[in-house]
């Protein structure tokens, strides 16, 4: 009975740790789930360490039945989102549950009530903690592990969320292109397109220099993270604060490859950027972090497997400032990142996530021979 389900907020480090460790119960027999490092998740939810909490707030909840944890959820108040989009939207994330609608409903009730008490009119998700972090519910493409920084979930989550009353707000597409297809397209298009673009627009495209990281962070900020950046008109996009951007760069530089980070400049100023990340999810899953194994041992295994198992790349960003669009730069960025993967012997690459409504970018990606192979969904629930 639903009365036997008790939902409570996590208020202590021990309770937050229990929240995080519950994932291993849900996915213990799943062949595709990629477990996170426990220390990374602890830091992610730590309000003293994650700069998201310098402007916004969240509450972690667990559902228990007969004293045993059976589900988790995070209720989120993203003040920067609401200020930037002039909305009153609350978010949920961290949603994990056994296959039981009563448990799911109790969790959604808790998240709904928490954000509603703070004046929100819509509950949206999943997005933990924002759309700049992992977001979206996998609704199609369950037959392979997720790429780096992409989400994964059991199929039954779709039914639980929709049964509660959530409806689709936006689909996010993940495109895949094999190395064989990319080779053919690159051979036909890249050099000709690159010469044409750079000649017409007087642009230069260079790889990132990690020895001058502060300069590269400023380029990223100018094109992606500022309020006037290339993504400012995208649905759901919220510019990062300087602290958030520095935090992301610090976390990603540990496994980023400068060959996959491209900066487009015009008259010495950054006007476009492309970033791809080696898919470290394969070696991470092989190392299989878990609460019962010392993390130093997991990290040693990860480093060992990383040298042998990384064989694909995820393109996470490719865009230019508005005044430089329709010039072919985006296509050059996409093709050059794929070319770098081919040079390294990778089997292919994922381009994600792309809004289903981003016709211009989806058209460019289709032209390099990619196909949509996974769909992630953001849901809305009116609560006003």
């Amino acid at each position: 009975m639903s009365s036997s389900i008790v939902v409570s907020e996590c208020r202590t480090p021990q309770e937050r740790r229990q929240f995080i460790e519950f994932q291993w119960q849900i996915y213990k027999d799943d062949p595709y789930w990629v477990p996170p490092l426990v220390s990374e998740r602890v830091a992610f939810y730590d309000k003293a360490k994650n700069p998201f909490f310098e402007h916004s707030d969240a509450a972690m909840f667990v559902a228990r039945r007969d004293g045993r944890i059976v589900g988790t959820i995070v209720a989120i108040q993203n003040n920067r989102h609401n200020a930037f989009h002039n909305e009153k939207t609350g978010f949920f994330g961290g949603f994990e549950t056994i296959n039981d609608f009563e448990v799911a409903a109790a969790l959604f009730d808790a998240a709904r009530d928490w954000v509603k008490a703070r004046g929100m009119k819509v509950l949206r998700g999943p997005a933990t903690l924002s759309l700049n972090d992992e977001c979206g519910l996998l609704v199609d493409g369950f037959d392979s592990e997720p790429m780096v920084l992409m989400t994964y979930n059991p199929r039954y989550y779709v039914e639980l969320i929709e049964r509660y009353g959530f409806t689709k707000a936006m689909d996010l597409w993940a495109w895949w292109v094999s190395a064989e297809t990319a080779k053919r397209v690159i051979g036909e298009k890249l050099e000709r397109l690159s010469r044409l673009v750079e000649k017409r627009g007087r642009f230069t495209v260079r790889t990132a220099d990690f020895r001058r990281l502060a300069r590269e962070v400023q380029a990223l900020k100018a094109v992606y993270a500022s309020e006037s950046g290339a993504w400012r008109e995208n649905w759901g996009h919220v510019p990062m604060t300087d602290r958030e951007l520095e935090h992301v760069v610090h976390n990603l530089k540990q496994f980023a490859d400068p060959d996959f980070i491209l900066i487009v400049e015009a008259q010495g100023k950054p006007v476009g950027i492309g970033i791809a990340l080696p898919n470290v999810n394969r070696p991470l899953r092989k190392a299989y972090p878990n609460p019962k194994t010392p993390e130093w041992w997991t990290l040693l295994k990860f480093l060992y497997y990383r040298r042998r198992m990384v064989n694909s790349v995820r393109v996470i960003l490719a865009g230019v400032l508005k005044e430089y669009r329709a010039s072919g730069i985006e296509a050059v960025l996409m093709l050059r990142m794929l070319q770098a993967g081919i040079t390294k012997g990778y089997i292919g690459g994922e381009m994600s996530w792309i809004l289903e409504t981003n016709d211009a970018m989806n058209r460019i990606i289709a032209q390099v021979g990619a196909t949509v192979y996974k769909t992630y969904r953001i849901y809305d629930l009116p609560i006003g």
Side-chain angles (χ1 to χ4, degrees), residues 91-110:
F91 291 83
F92 76 88
F95 175 70
E96 306 287 0
T97 179
I98 62 173
N99 191 1
D100 186 319
F101 179 69
E102 288 186 337
V103 176
L107 291 166
F108 288 133
D109 286 349

Side-chain angles (χ1 to χ4, degrees), residues 16 39 69 95 102 145 186 202 210 252 265 320 354:
R16 291 191 289 272
S39 64
I69 296 178
F95 175 70
E102 288 186 337
E145 64 195 21
I186 289 170
R202 297 180 181 177
F210 283 7
L252 295 187
E265 295 175 328
V320 300
I354 312 297

Side-chain angles (χ1 to χ4, degrees), residues 62-123:
V62 297
R64 289 182 173 86
R65 176 181 281 146
D66 300 325
R68 184 173 65 89
I69 296 178
V70 289
T72 64
I73 200 166
V74 183
I76 304 153
Q77 180 182 346
N78 188 333
N79 293 324
R80 280 184 62 81
H81 171 94
N82 288 323
F84 191 71
H85 293 282
N86 192 27
E87 294 180 358
K88 292 184 177 180
T89 299
F91 291 83
F92 76 88
F95 175 70
E96 306 287 0
T97 179
I98 62 173
N99 191 1
D100 186 319
F101 179 69
E102 288 186 337
V103 176
L107 291 166
F108 288 133
D109 286 349
R112 177 201 63 199
D113 293 346
W114 190 90
V115 300
K116 188 174 183 179
R118 287 155 177 79
M120 303 299 107
K121 303 300 182 182
V122 173
L123 179 61

Side-chain angles (χ1 to χ4, degrees), residues 34 145-150 279-286:
V34 181
E145 64 195 21
M147 297 285 279
V148 58
L149 301 181
M150 293 297 284
N279 182 28
V280 295
N281 266 12
R282 287 193 76 226
L284 185 61
R285 191 183 185 285
K286 184 70 173 178

Side-chain angles (χ1 to χ4, degrees), residues 314-327:
R314 177 192 164 208
V315 178
I316 65 171
L317 292 176
V320 300
L321 296 179
K322 186 175 182 179
E323 55 268 35
Y324 294 95
R325 291 177 187 165
S327 59

Side-chain angles (χ1 to χ4, degrees), residues 159-262:
E159 192 275 335
L160 295 177
I161 287 176
E162 294 181 355
R163 181 177 172 186
Y164 188 79
F166 284 94
T167 57
K168 170 187 163 182
M170 181 65 67
D171 275 355
L172 317 174
W173 289 346
W175 296 75
W176 172 262
V177 60
S178 68
E180 290 76 12
T181 299
K183 286 177 185 177
R184 183 177 67 253
V185 174
I186 289 170
E188 295 171 352
K189 296 182 178 181
L190 179 58
E191 291 305 322
R192 175 173 54 85
L193 182 59
S194 295
R195 287 195 299 269
L196 183 62
V197 167
E198 295 189 19
K199 180 179 179 180
R200 284 181 176 177
R202 297 180 181 177
F203 302 115
T204 58
V205 182
R206 64 175 178 84
T207 57
D209 184 353
F210 283 7
R211 296 170 299 180
R212 303 180 66 183
L213 191 59
R215 179 191 66 170
E216 310 303 46
V217 169
Q218 289 305 307
L220 178 59
K221 179 181 177 181
V223 180
Y224 174 73
S226 70
E227 294 194 6
S228 60
W231 280 260
R232 66 183 182 272
E233 298 174 355
N234 280 14
W235 181 89
H237 175 70
V238 178
M240 294 182 183
T241 65
D242 287 352
R243 285 265 296 121
E244 286 177 312
L245 183 59
E246 292 166 3
H247 185 71
V248 168
V249 170
H250 172 76
N251 288 338
L252 295 187
K253 71 179 182 181
Q254 302 173 60
F255 58 88
D257 183 335
D259 291 341
F260 290 118
I261 302 176
L262 304 178

